């Protein structure tokens, strides 16, 4: 691995860590309504992914859904779900609206990050 590749990898880990910090700050306000929490989470999550300009997020929690402007179903997506009650769950979907490569745009660490955010 070249020095530049190592630097790029560290920069991606820093973005992911920042995303975790931001989501933690958002979620610690137990009094905030979902209508405020979900859009803030979408922004924080988008910023943590490798290509934030292409990244779109949809969160469904209880009976509320929030999504990034321009969210569309895509073959390039990641998904995580957290069931916090026998009948209730929160689902987070990350999608890239366009991708011109045969390889996945997602880093393995991004799925780990998504799973961590979901719980």
């Amino acid at each position: 691995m070249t020095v530049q590749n190592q630097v790029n990898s560290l920069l991606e880990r820093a973005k992911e860590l920042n995303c975790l910090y931001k989501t933690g700050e958002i979620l610690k306000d137990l009094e905030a309504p979902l209508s405020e929490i979900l859009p803030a989470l979408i922004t924080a999550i988008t910023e943590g992914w490798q290509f934030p300009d292409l990244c779109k997020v949809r969160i469904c929690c209880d009976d509320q859904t929030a999504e990034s402007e321009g969210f569309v179903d895509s073959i390039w997506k990641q998904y995580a779900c957290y069931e916090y009650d026998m009948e209730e769950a929160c689902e987070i979907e990350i999608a890239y609206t366009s991708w011109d490569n045969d390889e996945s745009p997602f880093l393995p660490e991004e799925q780990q990050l998504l799973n961590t955010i979901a719980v």
Side-chain angles (χ1 to χ4, degrees):
M1 184 178 259
T2 68
V3 171
Q4 186 59 49
N5 286 347
Q6 290 175 331
V7 168
N8 290 343
S9 181
L10 288 173
L11 288 172
E12 285 304 315
R13 298 305 76 74
K15 280 182 8 183
E16 293 161 6
L17 189 56
N18 223 6
C19 177
L20 280 176
Y21 290 148
K22 287 180 182 179
T23 57
E25 282 296 311
I26 294 164
L27 294 172
K28 79 177 186 180
D29 184 357
L30 301 177
E31 301 298 318
L34 274 179
S35 62
E36 292 176 14
I37 291 173
L38 297 182
L41 285 175
I42 287 171
T43 300
I45 291 169
T46 301
E47 293 170 0
W49 260 248
Q50 186 176 13
F51 304 109
D53 293 343
L54 302 175
C55 182
K56 303 295 180 185
V57 180
R58 175 171 36 206
I59 304 174
C60 300
C61 196
D62 293 338
D63 60 347
Q64 294 188 40
T65 298
E67 58 188 33
S68 304
E69 184 177 328
F71 183 92
V72 294
D73 243 350
S74 169
I75 62 168
W76 302 111
K77 61 184 170 184
Q78 292 179 307
Y79 173 83
C81 180
Y82 175 65
E83 295 180 24
Y84 59 91
D85 191 336
M86 296 294 278
E87 299 175 9
E88 302 292 335
C90 284
E91 301 172 355
I92 305 172
E93 186 177 353
I94 312 291
Y96 280 114
T97 55
S98 63
W99 188 249
D100 295 331
N101 196 322
D102 289 338
E103 295 181 29
S104 173
F106 297 107
L107 300 171
E109 294 86 358
E110 289 173 332
Q111 184 64 53
Q112 290 176 315
L113 177 60
L114 181 56
N115 293 343
T116 301
I117 292 168
V119 295

